Structure formats: C-alpha cells, structure tokens
C-alpha cells in the first residue's frame, strides 16, 4: 500500500518506519525541515530503540521518504495517517488547530485526486472530535463526503516511549474506529500481520478508549505510589507487596470489577477502605486516591436515587438486595441505602431477592437487618411477578439470572431502571428503559 504519514513527531516517525519495514511505500510529511531531512538521510528525528536502524533500512530500500509538502505526497495514497500533535489548550482542553490545518490540506489534495484514500486520524483527541470537528473540515476542503468519496477512521496508538517499536509489532490489539466498512477494511489491511488482534468499533468508542487507557495507567501509578507511602510508614517492603499483588491476573490485573455499573458494597471493601484510610491519617499521610474511593462510590448511590426521583413515580419495586448476586449478604449493600431513602420519602416500595429468606437470615446479617433495614421483612416478597406487576418503576440492583427476562414482563406504562446491566434493552418490548452508567 502507498501510505502518507502527516506529522513526523514521535508517533509519526515510529509508524512510518515500522510500516515501511513491512513492505509498504511510506511518505512522511512534516513542516519541520529538520525532521524531513533526518528521514531523507536515513536518520531518526527522535531517540527511540531500534528506530534508527528501521529508518535507515527502509530509506535504503526506497520504501521510505519524506517531504514538507502534503500535495507532493498525496497522489496515489491508499491510506493517510494524520499524526499531528494535540497539545493542551489554556483551559485544559485540547487544541485541535494543528490537526484541523493538516486535515484541510489533506482534504484539498483529495479534492484534486480521483484515487480513493482513507484518512486515518491517530492523534489523541476527545470523543466527538473526528466526526464533529475534523470530518466537516475534511469534507469542505475535499468537496466530497466521508464514506463515499474518501474514507475516514480513527486508529488510537498505544506506543510507549522507549519501547515504541516493540509495542508496534507486539501490540495486544489494533483498534479501528470507523463508520463504514470500506474505511475499516483499509486500515485492517494496513496492519495485516502486525498489531495483534484487529478490533473494529465506532469512531467515538475508539476515541474514548485512548483516554480510558491513559487515565487507568495514571491511576495505577498513583495507586502504587500511595501504597508505597503507607507501606514505608508500616516498615513493609512495598515492592514485595506489589510483586505479590501482580501475581493475581484474574482479580487484581484481570477484567474483574471493570464493568461499569452500580456501587460496591459488602462486608469487605467498605470496611477495609475505611481502616486503611484511618491508618494513613494516623501516620499523617494524605492519600487522595485511596481516600476518594468511598466518596466516589457514594456518588453512584446518590445518582441512582436522583434517577428514580426524577421519574416521579411513587410505586417502586427493587430486584436484588444483596451486594452481590448469588449471595444472601446484605451488609453494606448499596441498594439498601437507595431503598432507605425512598422509604423515608414516602415511596411505596416492594422488594425481591431470590436468595433472601428472612427465616434463614442469621448472625451478623440478621443484626444488620434489625439495626439498619427494619422495614425489609414487611416489604420483601417471594414472588418476582408480584413485585414487577405492583410497581410503576422496576429497579434491577444486582445481575441475578432471575432478572434477565424482566424486560418481557413490563407493561407499556412501566419504567425499568437497570443499575447493573442485567437486562438486555432489546428485550424491553414495552415500557421505558433507563441505565445508570451506559
């Protein structure tokens, strides 16, 4: 394929060299004479492991060149990768002016060409940037329509400085955001044989994914550093603690707990967070990440209450009372805070949980009910259909298998509030569907 890479900064230089090494004909474009001169001499404009060798080999083979003029590079281009920087604006947002300028030049060149090219944005940008701000610029400059006269896609990069070449060739996956199949297929062909699994999705999802990745990486660094501070005060080797922590790739470093939904609860997480934060305060430590977790959790409980209140219906059925499906543990279950608020405000509330039988609630669980939710026994029903039929608003609060078909039970005038993504919205044939975090 003939590939044009606009922007020979960190991402652009690495992509140009790696793609050229795979046999593509690559032309890099940049306004910097220095960067273009480096590529033309077979040198790297940045310091990065293995990059100089790849550039030199591809330049010598005639597969890699560079220019300062987009219109010189564009004729015959199958794919155009836009890797122009998106620096911070004064208010903390993104400054897209450089990308818009580059896209306008690419569009003008497309307008003069009869060759179908796919324009692929690689610059990091917030959701909606491609379709809302850059696509209109591209279409206006080209005098055509995206998806018809040329392709458009978003392909986030996940390259780490110092290991970017290895990351390019050894990626876990390559994400392609596109609104039409032809654009997605063109980008997939570009990465054939490299970049791990090809994952196709919407442009906005791909834009969001880049930010989620970086935010989570930043969170991990902050979390590990706070653990280090606390461990140091306790006389514990923090590296040994985190080495053992990372050995669990099912719960600690796996997908567990990473699906958006309702607040956490139970007898462990809230209690242990309170205890570790209290210990940190005794040491005089300020640990903002650990200290904010419970406050963040509270916001989700409050959001659920506000969502139900905005519906302005007084008969509410709540399905799933234990903090985790498949258990009967009610201790610090977040939905009970929601129920308590509704009861206190005069709502008529019916409750159901397939695993809660008041005659079998014993020990700490029994004391919790008696002390914290004394209204539960009189409102609890064993028949799911009785709760659904007797409510104007049906709230699903844990993903028990018993609730997967609730959507089919609803009448047209009823409203389903699914806090945990337990019900497929497509199964809600009648009534309204509301989710909390999706």
């Amino acid at each position: 394929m003939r590939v044009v890479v606009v922007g020979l900064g960190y991402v652009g230089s690495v992509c140009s060299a790696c793609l050229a090494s795979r046999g593509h004909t690559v032309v890099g474009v940049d306004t910097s004479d220095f960067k273009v001169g480096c590529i033309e001499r077979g040198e790297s404009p940045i310091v990065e492991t293995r990059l100089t060798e790849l550039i030199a080999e591809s330049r010598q083979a005639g597969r890699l060149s560079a220019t300062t003029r987009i219109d010189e590079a564009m004729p015959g281009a199958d794919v155009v990768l836009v890797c122009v920087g998106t620096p911070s604006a004064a208010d903390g947002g993104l400054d897209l002016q450089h990308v818009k300028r580059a896209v306008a030049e690419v569009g003008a060149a497309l307008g003069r060409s009869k060759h179908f090219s796919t324009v692929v944005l690689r610059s990091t940008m917030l959701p909606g940037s491609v379709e809302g701000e850059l696509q209109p610029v591209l279409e206006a400059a080209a005098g055509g329509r995206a998806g018809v006269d040329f392709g458009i896609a978003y392909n986030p990069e996940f390259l780490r400085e110092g290991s970017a070449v290895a990351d390019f060739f050894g990626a876990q996956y390559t994400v392609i955001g596109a609104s039409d199949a032809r654009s997605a297929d063109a980008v997939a062909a570009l990465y054939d044989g490299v970049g791990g699994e090809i994952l196709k999705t919407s442009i906005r999802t791909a834009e969001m994914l880049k930010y989620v990745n970086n935010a989570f990486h930043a969170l991990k660094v902050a979390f590990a550093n706070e653990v280090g501070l606390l461990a140091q005060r306790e006389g514990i080797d923090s590296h040994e603690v985190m080495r053992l922590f990372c050995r669990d790739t099912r719960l600690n470093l796996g997908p567990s707990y990473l699906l958006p939904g309702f607040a956490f609860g139970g007898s462990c997480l809230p209690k242990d967070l309170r205890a570790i934060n209290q210990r940190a305060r005794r040491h005089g430590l300020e640990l903002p990440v650990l200290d904010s977790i419970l406050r963040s959790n509270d916001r989700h409980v409050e959001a659920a209450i506000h969502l139900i209140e905005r519906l302005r219906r007084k008969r509410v059925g709540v399905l799933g009372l234990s903090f985790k499906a498949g258990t009967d543990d009610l201790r610090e279950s977040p939905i009970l805070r929601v129920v308590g608020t509704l009861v206190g405000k005069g709502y008529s509330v019916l409750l159901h949980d397939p695993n809660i039988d008041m005659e079998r609630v014993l020990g700490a669980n029994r004391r919790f009910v008696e002390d914290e939710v004394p209204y539960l026994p009189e409102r609890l029903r064993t028949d799911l259909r009785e709760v659904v039929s007797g409510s104007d608003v049906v709230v699903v609060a844990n993903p028990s298998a018993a609730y997967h078909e609730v959507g089919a039970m609803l009448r047209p005038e009823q409203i389903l509030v699914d806090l945990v993504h337990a019900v497929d919205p497509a199964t809600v044939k009648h009534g309204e569907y509301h989710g909390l975090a999706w």
Side-chain angles (χ1 to χ4, degrees):
M1 300 176 75
R2 180 175 172 82
V3 182
V4 173
V5 178
V6 181
L8 292 174
Y10 198 87
V11 174
S13 294
V14 172
C15 290
S16 296
C18 291
L19 289 171
S21 74
R22 292 288 300 172
H24 299 289
T25 299
V26 180
V27 183
V29 182
D30 202 285
T31 57
S32 167
D33 290 324
F34 170 77
K35 294 176 182 178
V36 169
C38 284
I39 297 295
E40 286 290 285
R41 293 190 300 271
E43 301 169 0
S44 175
I46 62 172
V47 177
E48 179 62 40
T49 305
R50 291 181 58 197
L51 189 57
T52 298
E53 299 95 303
L54 287 180
I55 290 175
E57 291 169 3
S58 295
R59 185 75 186 99
Q60 185 174 10
R63 293 190 300 270
L64 178 61
S65 61
T67 177
T68 58
R69 294 178 59 85
I70 287 180
D71 56 351
E72 289 181 358
M74 285 293 294
D78 299 303
V79 174
V80 182
L81 300 181
V82 179
C83 304
V84 178
T86 52
S88 292
D91 64 356
L94 286 186
D95 182 354
L96 295 179
Q97 63 175 326
H98 304 297
V99 182
K100 288 182 178 179
R101 191 156 47 242
V103 163
E105 290 189 49
V106 169
L110 287 175
R112 295 188 292 270
S113 172
K114 296 186 181 300
H115 186 77
F116 187 93
S117 301
T118 299
V119 180
V120 183
L121 285 303
R122 296 218 78 190
S123 309
T124 299
M125 56 190 74
L126 292 163
S129 298
V130 171
E131 294 171 317
E133 298 194 52
L134 299 177
Q135 183 174 318
V137 171
L138 188 61
E139 290 178 330
R145 288 190 299 153
V148 178
D149 302 298
F150 54 85
I152 191 167
Y154 183 70
N155 170 222
E157 52 82 18
F158 305 109
L159 306 176
R160 297 169 296 170
E161 294 190 28
S163 61
V165 173
D167 289 343
F168 185 96
F169 289 118
Q172 291 284 306
Y173 56 57
T174 292
V175 177
I176 302 169
S179 55
D180 67 280
R182 187 175 182 180
S183 298
D185 291 343
V187 184
L190 180 67
Y191 291 106
D192 185 38
V194 298
E197 183 181 3
I198 299 293
L199 303 177
K200 298 177 183 179
T201 185
S202 69
I203 290 176
R204 289 176 64 88
T205 297
E207 289 171 318
M208 181 72 172
L209 179 64
K210 173 65 175 180
Y211 280 91
V212 171
N213 278 28
N214 282 354
F216 191 53
H217 299 328
L219 175 62
K220 287 188 287 186
V221 173
F223 174 79
N225 286 340
E226 290 193 2
V227 168
L229 286 173
L230 184 57
Q232 181 186 51
R233 295 297 178 89
E234 294 287 332
I236 298 168
D237 183 343
S238 61
H239 281 237
E240 174 68 2
V241 170
M242 295 309 290
R243 183 184 69 81
L244 296 173
F245 172 87
C246 292
R247 290 289 295 273
D248 185 344
T249 57
R250 181 172 62 91
L251 298 181
N252 293 347
L253 298 184
S256 300
Y257 308 116
L258 285 174
L259 284 177
F262 192 40
F264 61 76
S267 60
C268 297
L269 301 188
K271 174 179 69 70
D272 293 347
L273 278 166
R274 285 193 291 268
I276 199 170
N277 279 304
Q278 189 275 341
R279 178 62 64 90
R281 288 191 293 273
R282 280 180 50 187
H283 286 302
L285 292 174
E286 183 179 355
L287 304 180
V289 171
L290 290 173
D291 189 51
S292 67
I293 295 173
L294 282 171
R295 286 185 285 119
S296 174
N297 201 53
D298 288 342
R299 299 294 84 79
H300 293 283
V301 175
E302 293 165 6
I305 293 170
H306 294 157
L307 172 57
I308 295 168
E309 288 179 332
R310 287 197 302 271
L311 298 176
R312 299 187 180 280
R313 308 284 184 89
K314 284 295 187 177
R315 297 195 307 161
V316 178
V318 177
L319 312 180
L321 304 179
S322 60
F323 83 96
K324 182 184 292 186
T327 78
D328 64 350
D329 195 345
L330 297 171
R331 290 172 293 175
E332 299 211 42
S333 176
I335 193 59
L336 293 183
R337 292 169 57 189
V338 176
V339 172
T341 299
L342 297 178
V343 169
K345 292 186 174 184
Y347 283 72
S348 173
V349 182
L350 294 178
L351 309 172
H352 178 272
D353 191 299
N355 297 299
I356 303 299
D357 180 348
M358 289 310 303
E359 294 184 359
R360 298 173 59 186
V361 174
L362 305 171
N365 221 10
R366 167 67 72 172
R367 289 192 297 275
F368 176 80
V369 171
E370 292 172 348
D371 294 341
E372 304 294 334
V373 284
Y375 52 79
L376 190 151
E378 66 184 82
R379 299 171 188 272
L380 187 66
R381 301 292 185 270
T382 58
D383 186 347
L384 171 61
R385 289 188 176 275
E386 179 185 351
V387 175
V388 173
S389 64
S391 305
D392 299 318
V393 176
V394 178
V395 180
V396 181
N398 76 33
S400 170
Y403 304 139
H404 292 176
E405 305 304 322
V406 164
M409 302 180 188
L410 298 179
R411 301 186 303 274
E413 69 275 12
Q414 289 180 296
I415 300 173
L416 176 65
V417 175
D418 186 357
L419 300 178
V420 292
H421 215 186
V423 180
D424 182 351
T427 67
V428 182
K429 303 301 182 183
H430 304 287
E432 298 179 26
Y433 177 92
H434 294 265
L436 186 62
W438 44 86

